[in-house]
Amino acid sequence: MAARGKVVLMAKITLDIFRFDEAVDTVPHRDKVVVDIPETTTVLDALEYAKAEVDGSISFRRSCRSAICGSCSMNVNGVTGLACKTPCNTVMDDTGTVKIDPMPNFQPMKDMVVHMDPFWDKYTRLKPYLQPKDADSSHATERRVSPDDMHKLVAVANCIMCATCYALCPVVSVDPAFAGPAAIAYAYRFIEDVRDGERKERIAQISEDYLWLCAHCYACSYCPKHVDPNDRIIDVKRAAISERVMMNERGPRHALTVVKTIKQTGMLAETELIQGTVGKFNIIGLLKVAPLGLRMASKGKLPPIFMKPIPKVDEVRTIIDSLEVPVA
Amino acid sequence: SLGERFMFKYAPNKGELASRDVVSRAEWTEILEGRGVDGCVLLDMRHLGREKILERLPQIRELALDATGKDAIDEPIPILPGAHYTMGGIEADLNGATRIPGVYAAGECACISVHGANRLGGNSLLDTIVFGARSAAHAVEYIKTVGEVKPSERTLQHERDRVADLLSRTGGTRAPKIRQKMNETMSANTFIFRNEAQLETAVKDLVAIRNEFDQGVYVMDKSKTFNTDLVSAFETDFLIDVSLALATGALHRKESRGAQARTDFPDRDDENWMVHTLAFRQDGAAPKLDYSRKAKITKWQPEVRSY
């Protein structure tokens, strides 16, 4: 690891590593390996060094070591990211220790190698390939698209399927049936591709995979390739509303009712919001949220059932109309 | 280091857009002759401007930022020639079929050959898309003619025994250490400019490395779960074979052609060397070389290369 003629700050870095072999272990243990390396070495290179010099059984996925293959996502000091893109000196603590774990939301197999199948399943269900509107025979040469039409797909197409977003997603951690940020963002890639003929079907598929469970917490903004899945998820939800897919489900109803009450009164009317989301005639549903309603009332957070519009409600309505926001 | 746009000295017409082997030789010459900066040359993209770089070259900018801390928008990036592609490969025909029936090769691992001794832009795309498709189609037809084929139990047992033997060793040299020695001799002796003495050293070193691996490689991970130590040993094994074929072929090819630049034989010798080198593995020794396959010249005649 010679650096040409430059002064290199060496450091004794302690790698505090998660160790587990599903074939033999019932519980994991941790190993501490000390490596004497330049402090700017990436976590991946540090692991490779530890594996080559100290313990050949330390296991992790890796390939390109340049942030394009997506193999080396792991949890470093509590945050998931690509090990090849993480210099040790940006993550080590005061004692020079770097904690390394497999990424969360996945079942560990061997050290930092996890079972990836649920992640791939969510992708496969998208049918992540172009399903063109017209047959190849309708074109003399190739099927043409303008750069403008493809422009909005560029960011999503940069996804390297490293699963960092999926690992960080709190919704996945409570409900593994949730499609997850990567799949929804990739659904967008085809929903908005002008050549594709299955727009409505794709929106239906991703809606059924619990699109509307996304809480928009922005944890997926840690995407190492700047795909910004959260913004694409918002776009897919908008497409779902504009194509009127699954309008009777809670997700769309909630979004539309928010706008409806703001348009009516200039304020968010919680009581009506609950009714609109759950369904005015959904007795069982309403009974289920009754405890929540009572708790809110006891804290003084439940507004009157019939809300008076605010004085300048016309201005609010003008804003909503000019933005062409769909209302219920 | 003189701030010179040196490529036009080596390629007056094409400059930086000359063929990659020309650019590599130019960069390395500048560095060897002392005009490098910290052992590198500088890639300057500042003239493209912020907008164009962010739109057309975001990946490269990010890579440079991660690796060097420098932003290509504001500063030149230090670069070196690096091994990017393996020219040559498994002998295969236009359908990707090799000498062994049922074994196909397509893409970078194969040599059909359409690219010869050089790695131009678009090589990979042609190899993968065209020959990937053709070999798949041909393989499907092949399967129909042979039906079901059961692998020989003896071969399977031989492999199981080989792996079990490898895993049972309690000492020896780890594969990464052996790979390191291989890296060092290849980098020192088969790099951009080659000569007889260097190539002979490379072959000698690699035969020793071959033997060290066969007799003493040690796999530390004994697990049956995702054993990357074992896979790394397999990969090192094959890398040694590829390196031996490369170094031996280079040693015997007494000319310069494409990416091979021999300082002792600087010119191209079309009369004697328009042949493919076929290398056959020999245990514990350099491979046996065969020159029975001549290069096929059809439409385009060989010419002097100038950029």
Side-chain angles (χ1 to χ4, degrees), chain A residues 21 51 85 110 225-226, chain B residues 59 62 221 223 225 228:
Chain A
D21 182 337
K51 187 183 172 78
K85 221 180 188 281
K110 173 108 171 285
K225 303 305 282 182
H226 314 295
Chain B
Q59 166 70 13
E62 185 109 7
D221 189 356
S223 163
T225 314
T228 47

Side-chain angles (χ1 to χ4, degrees), chain A residues 4-6 21-23 51-62 66-68 85 109-110 113 151 158 224-226, chain B residues 28 38-40 55 58-59 62-63 66 70 78 80 174 176-177 179-180 220-229 232 235:
Chain A
R4 298 154 193 284
K6 273 201 156 115
D21 182 337
E22 69 178 5
K51 187 183 172 78
E53 299 292 324
V54 180
D55 183 350
S57 66
I58 299 173
S59 303
F60 44 94
R61 285 196 173 99
R62 85 287 181 262
S66 52
I68 198 66
K85 221 180 188 281
M109 187 197 303
K110 173 108 171 285
V113 179
H151 195 260
N158 284 336
K225 303 305 282 182
H226 314 295
Chain B
W28 199 237
D38 288 332
C40 304
E55 201 200 311
Q59 166 70 13
E62 185 109 7
L63 192 60
D66 284 341
K70 294 181 197 285
L80 274 181
R174 295 279 314 286
K177 286 265 181 335
R179 193 191 288 218
Q180 175 83 9
M220 211 167 144
D221 189 356
K222 309 293 184 193
S223 163
K224 287 208 160 41
T225 314
F226 212 94
N227 192 332
T228 47
D229 203 13
S232 170
E235 289 174 348

Side-chain angles (χ1 to χ4, degrees), chain A residues 79-139:
Chain A
V79 182
T80 301
L82 296 174
C84 66
K85 221 180 188 281
T86 310
C88 284
N89 63 349
T90 60
V91 286
M92 64 193 191
D93 67 10
D94 304 325
T95 66
T97 304
V98 179
K99 268 188 76 186
I100 302 174
D101 285 81
M103 45 175 178
N105 286 346
F106 286 99
Q107 189 189 330
M109 187 197 303
K110 173 108 171 285
D111 303 341
M112 275 60 69
V113 179
V114 297
H115 286 273
M116 296 284 294
D117 291 329
F119 182 75
W120 299 127
D121 283 343
K122 310 268 166 76
Y123 255 108
T124 314
R125 290 151 71 88
L126 298 174
K127 298 199 189 164
Y129 44 85
L130 192 70
Q131 295 175 81
K133 285 188 183 117
D134 46 10
D136 283 346
S137 52
S138 326
H139 306 267

Side-chain angles (χ1 to χ4, degrees), chain B residues 179-190:
Chain B
R179 193 191 288 218
Q180 175 83 9
K181 288 187 200 171
M182 181 189 68
N183 282 350
E184 280 163 6
T185 191
M186 292 300 281
S187 298
N189 298 309
T190 67

Side-chain angles (χ1 to χ4, degrees), chain B residues 98-250:
Chain B
T98 64
R99 291 180 178 223
I100 304 171
V103 178
Y104 287 81
E108 184 175 343
C109 72
C111 188
I112 287 185
S113 92
V114 289
H115 303 299
N118 224 330
R119 202 298 178 203
L120 310 177
N123 279 26
S124 265
L125 214 51
L126 189 162
D127 262 326
T128 51
I129 291 186
V130 173
F131 296 110
R134 285 181 68 91
S135 50
H138 199 262
V140 167
E141 290 310 309
Y142 172 79
I143 291 169
K144 290 181 188 162
T145 62
V146 291
E148 194 186 329
V149 175
K150 280 201 175 56
S152 114
E153 185 51 42
R154 219 186 58 180
T155 310
L156 286 177
Q157 193 54 42
H158 183 263
E159 274 303 291
R160 284 187 207 113
D161 292 341
R162 186 174 79 90
V163 174
D165 169 71
L166 197 54
L167 287 174
S168 68
R169 294 178 189 176
T170 51
T173 321
R174 295 279 314 286
K177 286 265 181 335
I178 299 178
R179 193 191 288 218
Q180 175 83 9
K181 288 187 200 171
M182 181 189 68
N183 282 350
E184 280 163 6
T185 191
M186 292 300 281
S187 298
N189 298 309
T190 67
F191 198 48
I192 293 175
F193 294 111
R194 305 165 169 177
N195 65 40
E196 180 109 5
Q198 286 174 321
L199 292 169
E200 276 185 348
T201 307
V203 175
K204 199 172 77 134
D205 286 348
L206 287 167
V207 171
I209 288 167
R210 174 77 270 164
N211 287 323
E212 182 176 8
F213 184 95
D214 292 336
Q215 284 147 25
V217 72
Y218 171 51
V219 175
M220 211 167 144
D221 189 356
K222 309 293 184 193
S223 163
K224 287 208 160 41
T225 314
F226 212 94
N227 192 332
T228 47
D229 203 13
L230 181 63
V231 172
S232 170
F234 291 154
E235 289 174 348
T236 305
D237 188 353
F238 299 142
L239 280 170
I240 298 171
D241 280 342
V242 172
S243 302
L244 258 172
L246 195 161
T248 314

